[in-house]
């Protein structure tokens, strides 16, 4: 029996709650169970009071068509949709939409804390009582903290959120939580309490010994209840301020993001005194902003992992391995005598069989517990750790009583990738885990050492990948609000290197390319992937301020040159202690980003109806493109900075538009990649671009060789070394198992994992051709080394997928196109064509592999040797049997160019060795 299609409704940017942070939440809906080629003609939306018809196909972030929500109001909203055929869907299930914001002037809570703390950043407990004297319809707790907190009503936690309310730009923006506590209040006297710690608010930021508290010396708690009675009356109760009391002798003794946490489970708060009223803020942060409602999901406990192995260390200790580098903390069940101290130390890797803690720098990352004497459950409450390994001392604990609790912002997973190569699949899984660990309240650079900051350059390059893997629109929209606030505090409209701006003394020399460009790139990607024009509107002033700050710094030539830049950060050729010394000129990076950001602002202005701005920035973008080409590109298609990143920028930022020159640039990029032995030659800036630049230039084979390379530096080298997340450096761990000697290295950094976006869009072939995937682009690029690959993504219109598999002499491509969308399909050997929604399959011929000729031994071109894995292995294996050091030297230092023969790479080699190599290459390629 056939059933009618059904609509599924969503309000604003979260699907984990009915709460919305605006009186006019945008509505989105998908249609499930629709027939093929289904398109929407119009939609009827009801809020129970009014039914409105929306004409046309729009179904993503549609403007609220009803009277605005009042604070505290809940409406039940439903939708049914008419197809272009005239058929109607069923009405969707009613979606509760609840106003989680307060009315203007309603916020009255004041910061409270310990009146006489014993030390800086001292955790505390706070409490007050309130009376309910009549029947209650609803009770909502609104709370926030300068720090983090866990509130309770009558002893029961109000939610399962962790590290709430998170980290924001404290001088301008606080986020309040909105929690329904109706089930927790009772007639008569009630107690509202909270345990509070400093976390990000009281942390010391900086590098080496130059660290200090930035925001405040003590945490504070702010809260108030809105109670609605059965008689219709609404009352604010228990607002923090006079009448609250606080105690600093509870079980949480000390806690910090970097140090870790100390709990004494024998303690309970007893020294209650009147609370301090007012923030314990440092100069410049004295004003506490009125909090706004949360727009991003909170951090939660997402899953737990058991111990996967127990390792005995050379020093006689015992280390627990959880099999996965993760972010969170341990939960340990233990029974021991009261006062016994249990200490947990964390590390991402082992070195010489012990915890590798040098990369943690000043972060102690240690959890300490004094047992209470009963059946204790040990888990840090206000700190978190980046680790795969942990060492527990002070008690003999059964590994079965230990689990790792994974923490991150509770976003919905939306993207998956699969391929026949297990190393590539593990690489993709590492990217996912890297995102999970670093999307914790804000997008951080690393989760383990004394940093964990919102570096703008990292998220700028990673946003396309992130927006495929998870629904991160609300998460990044929230962070962008902080970016705009912090930007307004700069004298020139530039963007701080980290957001929130926790390093006021770092940088400050003016705008920095690729980092500050997060102001333009991130909103642009959110519009492209989620159809969110609202974020462009909200961030437009920030976007414009950023490019104006660069224009003021750069002058009138169209070039941005001669200034300090971080450039292609962590180019693998850079010395370990000088990560900014890249092969590509920082001026090339800067001008390329200026041109692209100008074009992005022009495009945003056009979309928003700011036509004068659009025309102005179009002209400025063209000026910078022309200046870039004139200054850095030869007519023959060579870059003045002959490095892969330079070519990738020129091609992928569309800075060079003459087809012949573009072809020359792409060919030279492919040559450089080959000459480098198909090992990575790019840093943070070039890495997200290089495979696309090669593919678009007709050199898919070179992109494939880069992807599948396992020698260092490469994406798969860390996988062969056992990595379960993406590393900060290509060689964060050296081949001998030692940690990179540089002062800065992390084993959980997502930036270099931006290649996953290419896996999704190009290898599998699933990309947006219009914002929000309203039109899909299906364009798979089967890699010769793979038997199959596929990608699946929950778009704003519904689930889409593309996959391909080899069958005989054909490749079978399958795709699912969601209802109310279309797809442009590009298959090898066919002109592009369009299809409607539904399931599809096509066949295309495999490209037969060309027979490789026998190579003439020592007279063979080094380019031919590196392009023929048989010859390459014969060369290195033969040398390794005789002289392993020479083999490694040839592998790492040879310039694999077309005009050079094998003999030129083996100068001063004894004749018997030359003869052996010559014979081996000839035999291997016969």
């Amino acid at each position: 029996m056939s059933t009618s299609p059904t609509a599924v409704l969503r309000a604003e940017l979260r699907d984990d709650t009915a709460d919305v942070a605006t009186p006019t939440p945008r509505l989105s809906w998908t249609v499930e169970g629709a027939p093929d080629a289904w398109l929407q003609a119009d939609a009827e939306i009801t809020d129970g009071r009014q039914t409105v018809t929306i004409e046309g196909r729009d179904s993503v972030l549609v403007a609220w068509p009803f009277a605005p929500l009042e604070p505290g109001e809940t409406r039940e909203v439903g939708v049914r949709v008419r197809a272009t055929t005239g058929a109607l869907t069923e009405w969707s299930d009613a979606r509760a939409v609840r106003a989680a914001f307060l009315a203007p002037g309603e916020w009255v809570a004041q910061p409270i804390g310990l009146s006489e703390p014993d030390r800086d950043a001292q955790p505390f407990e706070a409490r007050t009582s309130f009376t309910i004297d009549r029947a209650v319809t609803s009770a909502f707790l609104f709370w926030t903290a300068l720090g983090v907190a866990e509130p309770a009503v009558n002893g029961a936690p109000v939610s399962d959120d962790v590290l709430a309310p998170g980290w924001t730009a404290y001088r301008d923006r606080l986020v309040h939580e909105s929690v329904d506590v109706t089930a927790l209040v009772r007639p008569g006297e009630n107690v509202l309490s909270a345990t509070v710690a400093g976390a990000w608010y009281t942390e010391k930021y900086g590098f080496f010994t130059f660290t200090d508290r930035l925001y405040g010396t003590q945490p504070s708690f702010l809260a108030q209840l809105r109670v609605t009675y059965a008689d219709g009356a609404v009352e604010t109760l228990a607002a923090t301020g006079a009448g609250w009391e606080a105690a600093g002798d509870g079980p949480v003794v000390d806690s910090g993001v970097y140090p870790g946490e100390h709990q004494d489970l024998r303690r309970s708060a007893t020294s209650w005194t009147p609370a301090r009223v007012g923030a314990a803020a440092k100069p410049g942060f004295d004003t506490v902003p009125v909090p706004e409602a949360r727009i991003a999901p909170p951090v939660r406990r997402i899953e737990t992992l058991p111990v996967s192995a127990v390792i005995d260390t050379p020093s006689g200790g015992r280390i627990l391995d959880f099999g996965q580098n993760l972010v969170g903390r341990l939960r340990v069940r233990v029974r021991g005598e009261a006062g016994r101290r249990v200490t947990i130390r964390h590390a991402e890797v082992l070195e010489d069989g012990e915890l590798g803690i040098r990369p943690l720098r000043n972060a102690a990352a240690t959890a300490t517990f004094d047992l209470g004497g009963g059946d204790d459950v040990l888990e840090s409450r206000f700190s978190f750790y980046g680790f795969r390994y942990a060492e527990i001392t002070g008690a003999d604990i059964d590994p079965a009583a230990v689990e790792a609790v994974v923490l991150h912002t509770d976003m919905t997973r939306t993207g998956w990738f699969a391929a026949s190569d297990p190393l590539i699949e593990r690489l993709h899984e590492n990217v996912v885990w890297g995102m999970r660990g670093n999307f914790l309240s804000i997008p951080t650079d690393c989760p383990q050492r004394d940093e964990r900051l919102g570096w703008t350059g990292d998220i700028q390059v990673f946003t396309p990948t992130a927006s495929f893997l998870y629904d991160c629109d609300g998460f990044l929209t929230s962070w962008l609000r902080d970016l705009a606030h912090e930007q307004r505090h700069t004298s020139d409209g530039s963007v701080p290197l980290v957001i929130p701006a926790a390093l006021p003394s770092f940088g400050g020399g003016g705008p920095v390319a690729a980092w500050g460009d997060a102001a333009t790139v991130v909103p642009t990607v959110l519009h492209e992937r989620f159809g969110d024009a609202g974020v462009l509107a909200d961030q437009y002033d920030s976007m414009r301020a950023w490019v104006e700050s660069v224009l003021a710094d750069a002058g009138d030539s169209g070039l941005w040159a001669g200034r300090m830049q971080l450039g292609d950060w962590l180019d693998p050729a850079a010395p370990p202690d000088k990560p900014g010394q890249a092969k590509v000129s920082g001026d090339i990076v800067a001008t390329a980003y200026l041109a692209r950001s100008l074009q992005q602002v022009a495009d945003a202005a056009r979309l928003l109806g700011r036509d004068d701005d659009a025309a102005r920035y179009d002209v400025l973008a063209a000026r910078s493109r022309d200046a870039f080409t004139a200054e850095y590109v030869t007519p023959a298609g060579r870059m003045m900075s002959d490095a892969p990143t330079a070519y990738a920028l020129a091609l992928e930022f569309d800075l060079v538009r003459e087809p012949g020159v573009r072809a020359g640039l792409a060919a030279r990029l492919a040559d450089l990649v080959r000459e480098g032995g198909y090992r990575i030659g790019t840093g943070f800036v070039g890495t997200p671009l290089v495979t696309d630049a090669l593919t678009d230039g007709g050199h898919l084979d070179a992109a494939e060789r880069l992807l599948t390379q396992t020698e260092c530096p490469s994406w798969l080298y860390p996988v062969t070394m056992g990595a379960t997340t993406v590393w900060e450096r290509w060689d964060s761990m050296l081949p001998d198992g030692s940690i990179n000697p540089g002062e800065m290295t992390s084993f959980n950094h997502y930036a270099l994992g931006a290649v996953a976006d290419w896996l999704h869009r190009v290898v599998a072939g699933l990309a947006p051709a219009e914002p929000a995937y309203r039109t899909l682009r299906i364009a798979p690029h089967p890699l010769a080394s793979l038997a199959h690959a596929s990608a699946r993504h929950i778009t704003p219109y519904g689930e889409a997928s593309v996959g391909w598999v080899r069958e005989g002499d054909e490749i079978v491509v399958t795709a699912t196109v969601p209802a109310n969308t279309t797809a442009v399909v590009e298959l090898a050997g066919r002109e592009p064509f369009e299809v409607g929604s539904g399931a599809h399959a096509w066949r295309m011929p495999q490209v037969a592999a060309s027979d490789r000729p026998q190579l003439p031994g020592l007279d063979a071109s080094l380019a031919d040797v590196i392009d023929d894995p048989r010859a390459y292995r014969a060369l290195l294996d033969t040398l390794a049997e005789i002289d392993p050091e020479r083999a490694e030297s040839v592998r790492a230092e040879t310039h694999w160019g077309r005009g050079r023969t094998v003999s030129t790479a083996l100068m001063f080699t004894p004749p018997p060795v030359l003869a052996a190599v010559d014979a081996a290459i000839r035999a291997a390629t016969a």
Side-chain angles (χ1 to χ4, degrees), residues 702-727:
E704 178 177 3
R705 288 291 300 275
L706 265 184
L707 173 69
T708 57
Q709 176 67 267
T710 57
E711 296 178 9
C712 184
S714 68
W715 283 292
L716 296 186
Y717 163 73
V719 177
T720 67
M721 295 292 289
T724 60
T725 41
V726 174
W727 295 350

Side-chain angles (χ1 to χ4, degrees), residues 77 99 285 312 359 393 448 469 481 534 545 592 598 618 700 749 888 904:
V77 181
F285 296 90
D312 294 323
T393 57
Q448 70 299 103
L469 296 175
R481 291 190 181 184
L598 285 167
D618 274 335
L700 179 65
H749 246 72
E888 175 56 23
T904 64

Side-chain angles (χ1 to χ4, degrees), residues 454-480:
W455 285 93
T456 48
D458 298 54
I459 190 58
Q460 181 265 129
V461 299
F462 191 72
T463 297
T465 297
S467 58
F468 183 92
L469 296 175
Y470 282 88
D471 180 358
C472 56
D473 191 11
F475 176 88
L476 290 175
T477 295
S478 176
W479 179 78
L480 284 169

Side-chain angles (χ1 to χ4, degrees), residues 112-117 124-127 241-248 271-277:
I112 63 164
L114 287 172
S115 57
E116 296 183 2
F124 69 92
E125 295 185 21
R127 70 184 183 187
W244 278 73
E245 53 185 2
S271 56
W272 296 98
T273 59
R276 159 185 47 85
V277 178

Side-chain angles (χ1 to χ4, degrees), residues 463-761:
T463 297
T465 297
S467 58
F468 183 92
L469 296 175
Y470 282 88
D471 180 358
C472 56
D473 191 11
F475 176 88
L476 290 175
T477 295
S478 176
W479 179 78
L480 284 169
R481 291 190 181 184
D482 291 318
L483 183 149
H485 282 304
E486 301 285 31
Q487 183 182 14
R488 283 190 282 270
H489 288 284
T490 63
S491 61
D492 56 0
S494 61
V495 175
L497 293 173
V498 298
I499 302 295
L503 300 176
S505 62
F506 187 79
V512 177
W515 273 253
D517 291 280
T520 54
V521 173
V522 176
T524 298
V525 174
L526 295 183
H527 174 248
E528 174 190 87
R529 301 302 179 94
F530 298 105
D532 194 345
V535 73
L536 289 178
D538 291 344
Q539 295 299 129
Y540 181 76
D541 288 344
S542 167
M543 297 171 72
R544 189 175 183 275
W546 164 248
V547 295
E548 290 295 339
S549 76
V550 177
L551 291 169
D553 190 69
D556 298 327
S557 68
L559 299 172
W560 186 14
R563 302 305 299 263
M564 189 287 294
Q565 298 290 350
L566 296 177
D568 196 23
W569 188 254
L570 286 170
D571 178 324
D577 59 340
K578 296 177 180 178
Q581 287 191 0
K583 295 184 291 293
V584 66
S585 163
D587 292 348
I588 285 181
V589 172
T591 301
Y593 267 93
L594 171 58
R596 184 171 71 152
S597 279
L598 285 167
Q599 191 60 61
Q600 288 175 331
V601 175
D603 294 342
R606 190 173 298 107
L607 183 76
L608 298 172
R610 299 175 181 240
D611 295 339
D612 290 345
D613 275 6
R616 175 171 182 262
Y617 291 116
D618 274 335
V619 170
L620 290 170
R623 184 185 73 174
S624 281
R625 286 195 298 269
D626 291 345
F628 180 95
T629 301
E631 188 79 7
Y632 302 124
V633 186
T634 73
R638 293 287 287 259
M639 296 295 301
M640 298 301 292
S641 194
D642 196 32
T645 292
Y647 291 90
L649 286 166
L651 292 165
E652 285 308 297
F653 285 7
D654 201 24
L655 304 178
V656 178
R657 298 188 171 183
E658 200 283 310
V661 179
R662 286 183 63 86
L665 292 170
R668 179 55 186 160
L669 174 59
D671 284 344
L672 284 174
V673 168
R674 178 188 293 108
E675 290 168 6
Y678 295 107
R679 292 185 293 273
I680 283 288
T682 52
F684 273 28
V685 167
T687 295
L689 307 174
V690 64
T691 48
D692 272 305
L694 288 166
T695 305
D696 294 342
H699 301 281
L700 179 65
D701 55 341
E704 178 177 3
R705 288 291 300 275
L706 265 184
L707 173 69
T708 57
Q709 176 67 267
T710 57
E711 296 178 9
C712 184
S714 68
W715 283 292
L716 296 186
Y717 163 73
V719 177
T720 67
M721 295 292 289
T724 60
T725 41
V726 174
W727 295 350
E728 179 176 21
R729 294 178 181 266
W730 296 108
D731 59 349
S732 285
M733 179 172 284
L734 304 182
D736 64 5
S738 63
I739 296 172
N740 187 291
E743 179 273 335
M744 179 193 77
T745 197
S746 147
F747 294 88
N748 195 350
H749 246 72
Y750 54 62
L752 298 178
V755 69
D757 188 52
W758 179 75
L759 295 176
H760 307 147
R761 289 183 294 100

Side-chain angles (χ1 to χ4, degrees), residues 10-22 25 69 72-74 95-101 140-142 161 176-180 293-298 300:
R10 176 184 181 182
E12 259 308 303
L13 302 180
R14 293 176 62 183
D15 54 16
D16 65 317
T17 178
D19 290 349
V20 293
T22 170
L69 294 166
E73 182 183 7
T74 298
R95 168 83 186 208
V97 180
R98 183 170 61 212
F101 51 87
F140 275 81
L141 175 66
F142 301 97
D161 298 354
H176 71 70
E177 309 293 349
S178 310
V179 189
D180 186 347
R294 169 177 289 283
I295 61 174
R300 293 190 173 107

Side-chain angles (χ1 to χ4, degrees), residues 107-120:
W107 184 267
V108 296
Q110 302 176 74
I112 63 164
L114 287 172
S115 57
E116 296 183 2
D118 299 326
R119 56 199 178 277
D120 280 355

Side-chain angles (χ1 to χ4, degrees), residues 175-208:
V175 168
H176 71 70
E177 309 293 349
S178 310
V179 189
D180 186 347
V181 295
T182 309
L184 300 181
V185 300
R186 60 198 180 202
E189 187 176 59
N190 293 259
V191 175
L192 172 60
S193 61
T195 305
V196 188
W200 297 285
Y201 184 76
T202 57
E203 192 52 74
K204 292 181 178 181
Y205 298 104
F207 298 114
F208 310 108

